[in-house]
Amino acid sequence: MNNFNTIQALIRDLPVAFDTEQVSLGEAYNRVLRQDIFADMDMPPFHKSAMDGYACHFEDIGNTLEILEVIQAGMTAKIPVGKNQCVKIMTGAAVPDGCDCVFKLEESEQVDDAYVRCTNSKTSMNICYRGEDYHSGELLISKGTIINTPQMAVLAGAGQTAIEVCKAPKITLIATGSELVDPSKKPESGQIRNSNASQVISQLSKMNLEVIENLTLADDYQKLMEAFDAALDKSDIVIFTGGASVGDFDFIPEILKEKDFKIFWDRTGIKPGNPMTFSQKDDKFVIGLSGNPVSSLAQFELIAKPVIYRLMGASYRPLRFRASLAFDYFRKKADRLAIVPVLINEEGQISEIPFHGSAHINALVSANALLEVPLNVTNLKKGETAHVRPL
């Protein structure tokens, strides 16, 4: 299978795979919500002043009004407000019963210590009415939402201090390749530093997910099999980087078949981004990413991340939008969806950066987005619009 859109449809059909757990409000940020959140009261719970000013009856605007008391936020009126009377009121304070207007301090004229007059006969009401934001029993946040900063405020406002979220899956990362050495070592002839592991770990970290074990292994079938068995014993998801191709020492597809894993796809339909595997056996999942860093990044952002979020029960929709190109783009072959590292400049246009293919890791340093060039499209002209995904 190599159709990107077909893969996205398969992802949407995946069942939720992981259990829930209850966390405190302080631990809920960037977790996947697994319950609907309903309002337990109206918000605001009372008519409240939107301004510092004077609360009165609108029919008395223009008259000289007697000031009965001062009401701060958190207080309520002690004296009923009658005709040609008012209270001085602060922003957020409860508007006294019967008052239907708050005129701003800037629209007031002090007659003396006890009396005030509104100078704007067409003043706004300046009241936030009870239930204006939401009513008791109203759905506030849907199950599957990834809890971000706005949701944290709503959860707190709804009194939610014990929240059902998806348990974070346990993840083992295995980078394969006899040429790989630790980033702390200087590579000898024929060797390269393992950059993919750090990249994938950072991508998982943005999802609030941790890697419980990070391994770098040579292309040795038996050792890979042993490490895979051990990883399956303690992990929900195993992510490989490298070893998923069709070379003499690319063993991951062979291992998956021997272990009787169901392989959903082994081609992606994106470039760079082949090959890549996703497979399952019972409650264990395996994601095989490319050994080339740009391919690996694109595979994770466009496919692996949606897969993991789907298994966690998240209603994940990646941010992508159309912007105009500041350069002419051309490619010879258009048999796959092209993913190109680009820069969204200060004018909101898509700017070109040097990019030499799937192994060009330095292209990622100045990129802040990925340009999508659709299947069967060989060129895009300067000024045309295309989809981009922020990084």
Side-chain angles (χ1 to χ4, degrees), residues 23-70:
V23 298
S24 68
L25 176 62
E27 300 172 308
Y29 179 71
N30 213 13
R31 301 294 296 270
V32 176
L33 185 65
R34 291 284 289 272
Q35 66 176 115
D36 289 330
I37 301 296
F38 296 92
D40 66 340
M41 60 190 297
D42 292 343
M43 186 59 63
F46 48 80
H47 299 331
K48 70 175 183 178
S49 177
M51 299 285 177
D52 291 340
Y54 296 89
C56 66
H57 303 284
F58 185 73
E59 63 183 18
D60 295 333
I61 289 294
N63 299 340
T64 298
L65 305 178
E66 179 187 6
I67 305 170
L68 299 178
E69 59 180 320
V70 178

Side-chain angles (χ1 to χ4, degrees), residues 108-139:
S108 67
E109 178 184 53
Q110 200 77 27
V111 176
D112 55 35
D113 290 345
Y115 289 87
V116 71
R117 182 185 301 114
C118 178
T119 59
N120 180 10
S121 62
K122 297 181 180 179
T123 183
S124 298
M125 298 299 103
N126 298 316
I127 295 174
C128 299
Y129 297 100
R130 176 173 178 165
E132 185 176 282
D133 295 341
Y134 54 77
H135 293 285
S136 178
E138 186 175 332
L139 177 64

Side-chain angles (χ1 to χ4, degrees), residues 306-374:
V307 164
I308 296 170
Y309 269 141
R310 177 59 195 162
L311 295 175
M312 295 175 69
S315 302
Y316 173 66
R317 296 291 182 271
L319 176 61
R320 57 194 291 267
F321 56 87
R322 297 192 73 89
S324 62
L325 275 81
F327 66 101
D328 292 325
Y329 173 86
F330 174 78
R331 59 174 174 163
K332 292 181 180 179
K333 293 181 66 176
D335 56 342
R336 287 184 276 167
L337 169 69
I339 304 299
V340 185
V342 291
L343 175 69
I344 303 297
N345 62 31
E346 293 180 354
E347 287 73 40
Q349 296 177 315
I350 306 169
S351 294
E352 184 178 21
I353 60 175
F355 178 53
H356 309 307
S358 60
H360 188 192
I361 189 171
N362 287 1
L364 302 177
V365 173
S366 54
N368 61 13
L370 297 175
L371 166 67
E372 299 180 13
V373 183

Side-chain angles (χ1 to χ4, degrees), residues 188-203:
E188 297 179 2
S189 178
Q191 296 180 327
I192 59 171
R193 290 188 176 101
N194 176 10
S195 60
N196 264 355
S198 296
Q199 177 175 283
V200 173
I201 288 170
S202 69
Q203 289 173 298

